[in-house]
Amino acid sequence: MKTVEISEIVSLLEKYDKNEQPLILTRNGQPIAALFSVEDIDLETLSLSINPKFISIIEKSRKSQKEEGRIFLEDIYLPSKP
């Protein structure tokens, strides 16, 4: 993974190749964003992969599977908001 100061981003974006590794953008040495190609990723997959609630569901399911050897639907079901 490559890190880049945000002040350098314009010149890097002009040269960025989709095959490059992700770039971590920093400000004053602190990470603030990541740049990576999404050309071969559908938007639903991308959205779910960065959704904290979805990630929590997956982690809970994996933990249940590992500890209990099973996953119950009611353990992972999230009721929709009214």
Side-chain angles (χ1 to χ4, degrees):
M1 189 169 3
K2 182 176 182 180
T3 62
V4 179
E5 276 294 320
I6 192 110
S7 60
E8 301 172 31
I9 195 61
V10 173
S11 64
L12 283 171
L13 284 176
E14 292 172 350
K15 298 182 248 175
Y16 186 74
D17 180 346
K18 68 178 182 170
N19 296 321
E20 286 189 47
Q21 63 181 338
L23 296 175
I24 303 301
L25 306 180
T26 62
R27 181 178 292 132
N28 300 321
Q30 297 299 311
I32 59 169
L35 174 66
F36 56 94
S37 174
V38 294
E39 186 173 30
D40 297 324
I41 302 173
D42 64 88
L43 292 179
E44 182 180 18
T45 300
L46 177 61
S47 177
L48 287 173
S49 70
I50 60 174
N51 181 306
K53 190 177 279 188
F54 182 76
I55 292 169
S56 174
I57 291 169
I58 297 300
E59 288 171 351
K60 182 177 178 182
S61 296
R62 287 178 178 158
K63 181 179 178 185
S64 175
Q65 166 65 35
K66 185 176 181 179
E67 292 175 357
E68 302 171 26
R70 63 184 189 274
I71 302 170
F72 294 108
L73 183 57
E74 59 269 13
D75 290 341
I76 59 172
Y77 174 74
L78 291 177
S80 58
K81 294 180 181 177

